[in-house]
């Protein structure tokens, strides 16, 4: 009887979570099916097949080129975010220096600035650095916008690690960087995965920054999709667009499913510290 009562008590939870799952998964499932379904004005007119994917693959420089651009931009953004946020979060969590709290608030204040307002100055800045219309330049800009949140996450992740672990490493002969690499980084692994996943999703799907900073064969896949969808006489090729959305979505879904456990643990460690 107690088992039945327990199940009935959790029924509203199952109904709510199941409804939310259907709500979020339905657009993805619908897009996946539509990308191989017959549609007028697309490459897949009769029967089910991969004609829309063939159109996507052969568009201008080819989908492989645009996927490679997206990977280059995303890798730059993720690596820079991880390195800078780890070192900055460690410094804010462990060291004392004048103006530490004010500097940290200044870093967080970037979150309050709409990044679209900074794009024109950044275009000029990248041109002066010789990084105009380059994948590295786009990756650096995207990393800048990810750093405030990443720095915050890494600071609370390092603060959640007992200082005794670091002190024991220092006693054993490790320096600050040795203790960071050997002791602290394994302890804050969930936080690293969390900010890395956030940086990946933001860079992989971003449209506005590449729109301002790159063009031609250097454009990533989201920008290429927008340019491809407009066909003759203003007719939109929905089939190829849906195929592109599926290609864009697959890496995000796979990465999230693989890293889901660490992602949740990263947020939990921050919540417990807060």
């Amino acid at each position: 009887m107690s088992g039945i009562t327990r199940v009935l008590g959790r029924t509203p939870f199952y109904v709510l979570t199941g409804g939310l799952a259907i709500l979020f998964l339905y657009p993805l499932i619908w897009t996946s099916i539509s990308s191989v379904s017959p549609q007028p004005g697309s490459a897949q007119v009769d029967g089910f097949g991969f004609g829309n994917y063939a159109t996507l693959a052969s568009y201008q420089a080819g989908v492989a080129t645009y996927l490679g651009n997206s990977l280059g931009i995303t890798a730059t953004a993720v690596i820079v975010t991880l390195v800078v946020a780890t070192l900055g979060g460690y410094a804010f969590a462990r060291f004392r220096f004048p103006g530490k709290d004010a500097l940290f608030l200044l870093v967080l204040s970037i979150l309050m600035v709409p990044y679209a307002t900074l794009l024109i100055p950044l275009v000029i800045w990248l041109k002066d650095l010789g990084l105009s219309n380059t994948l590295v330049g786009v990756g650096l800009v995207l990393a800048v916008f990810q750093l405030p949140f990443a720095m915050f996450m890494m600071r609370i992740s390092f603060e959640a690690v007992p200082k005794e672990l670091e002190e024991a490493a220092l006693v054993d002969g490790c320096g600050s960087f040795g203790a960071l690499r050997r002791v602290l980084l394994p302890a804050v692994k969930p936080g690293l995965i969390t900010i890395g996943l956030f940086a990946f999703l933001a860079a992989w799907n971003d449209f506005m920054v590449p729109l301002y900073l790159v063009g031609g064969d250097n454009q990533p896949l989201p920008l290429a999709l927008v340019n491809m969808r407009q066909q003759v006489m203003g007719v939109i090729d929905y089939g190829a667009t849906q195929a592109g959305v599926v290609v864009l979505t697959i890496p995000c879904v796979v990465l999230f499913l693989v890293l889901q456990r660490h992602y949740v643990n990263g947020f939990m460690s921050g919540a417990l510290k807060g």
Side-chain angles (χ1 to χ4, degrees), residues 1-257:
M1 193 68 178
S2 60
I4 298 176
T5 304
R6 190 182 307 110
V7 171
L8 291 176
R10 294 184 63 85
T11 298
F13 170 77
Y14 293 134
V15 171
L16 177 62
T17 54
L20 290 174
I22 294 173
L23 180 65
F24 284 102
L25 290 176
Y26 174 76
L28 179 58
I29 296 172
W30 179 84
T31 301
S32 301
I33 295 174
S34 298
S35 67
V36 296
S37 301
Q39 298 184 44
S42 70
Q44 191 64 39
V45 180
D46 299 317
F48 290 86
F50 295 95
N52 294 320
Y53 290 90
T55 300
L56 178 67
S58 60
Y59 173 70
Q60 289 188 2
V63 68
T65 298
Y66 301 127
L67 275 175
N69 294 339
S70 292
L71 286 173
I73 291 171
T74 303
T76 302
V78 170
I79 292 172
V80 172
T81 299
L82 286 174
V83 172
V84 177
T86 298
L87 297 177
Y90 176 62
F92 280 119
R94 288 293 192 255
F95 299 138
R96 294 182 179 180
F97 52 88
K100 181 177 77 171
D101 293 334
L103 180 59
F104 188 67
L105 289 176
L106 180 62
V107 172
L108 294 182
S109 67
I110 300 175
L111 292 171
M112 297 182 289
V113 180
Y115 79 86
T117 63
L118 301 176
L119 287 178
I120 299 301
L122 287 171
V123 169
I124 299 173
W125 176 61
L126 289 177
K127 184 177 180 180
D128 293 338
L129 292 176
L131 295 175
S132 179
N133 196 28
T134 63
L135 304 182
V136 173
V138 179
L140 290 175
V141 171
L142 291 170
V144 167
F145 295 125
Q146 289 299 308
L147 281 175
F149 170 76
M151 200 88 71
F152 171 76
M153 281 293 299
M154 292 313 300
R155 178 177 181 174
I156 61 178
S157 296
F158 281 118
E159 288 178 345
V161 179
K163 290 185 178 180
E164 289 77 11
L165 291 177
E166 183 179 5
E167 292 172 353
L170 294 175
V171 169
D172 289 339
C174 288
S176 296
F177 281 101
L180 173 65
R181 181 171 61 88
R182 298 174 183 274
V183 178
L184 295 179
L185 287 184
V188 298
K189 181 180 177 181
L192 288 170
I193 292 177
T194 299
I195 66 171
L197 185 58
F198 260 82
F200 175 88
L201 295 176
W204 183 259
N205 295 302
D206 194 270
F207 169 77
M208 185 171 291
V209 172
L211 177 64
Y212 276 78
L213 299 182
V214 293
D217 290 345
N218 283 338
Q219 58 188 333
L221 187 55
L223 188 56
L225 285 179
V226 174
N227 294 330
M228 179 187 67
R229 68 193 295 266
Q230 196 72 23
Q231 299 297 322
V232 182
M233 301 298 291
V235 177
I236 298 175
D237 189 346
Y238 288 106
T241 302
Q242 289 163 340
V245 170
V246 173
V247 172
L248 270 173
T249 303
I250 289 175
C252 300
V253 173
V254 171
L255 194 62
F256 181 81
L257 291 176

